[in-house]
Amino acid sequence: MGHKRGGPAKVAVVASGFFGTLSGSTVANIMSTGIITIPLMVKSGFKRTYAAAIEAVASNGGQIMPPIMGATDFIMAEFLQIP
């Protein structure tokens, strides 16, 4: 994805998606993938706040990605009252 427009942001989304299926924690996801993807996005021309926002949103979205879905699936099931 590095040779396409917005490549570093796309890499952040994919990396957060993969890690989010395993971790179950948004903060852990940001701290593990963000340490690589945020500087990569800043180096390629993104503003610092924009790069951090992309990583934060990607990490939140990565939590509700199948197959494992972290802790979010249990919270959603409890909130929707699904057994």
Side-chain angles (χ1 to χ4, degrees):
M1 293 186 203
H3 63 281
K4 298 187 184 227
R5 185 173 181 204
K10 293 174 185 170
V11 168
V13 171
V14 171
S16 292
F18 283 137
F19 191 78
T21 60
L22 302 172
S23 72
S25 169
T26 301
V27 176
N29 197 341
I30 293 170
M31 294 303 293
S32 59
T33 60
I35 199 165
I36 297 167
T37 58
I38 292 173
L40 180 67
M41 287 187 275
V42 170
K43 186 177 176 183
S44 68
F46 288 90
K47 293 180 183 176
R48 290 181 182 274
T49 54
Y50 192 69
I54 290 171
E55 180 60 39
V57 171
S59 294
N60 279 320
Q63 272 194 337
I64 58 172
M65 228 175 117
I68 298 170
M69 296 175 59
T72 308
D73 58 345
F74 299 111
I75 294 170
M76 288 170 34
E78 183 68 28
F79 182 74
L80 297 172
Q81 298 177 351
I82 298 172

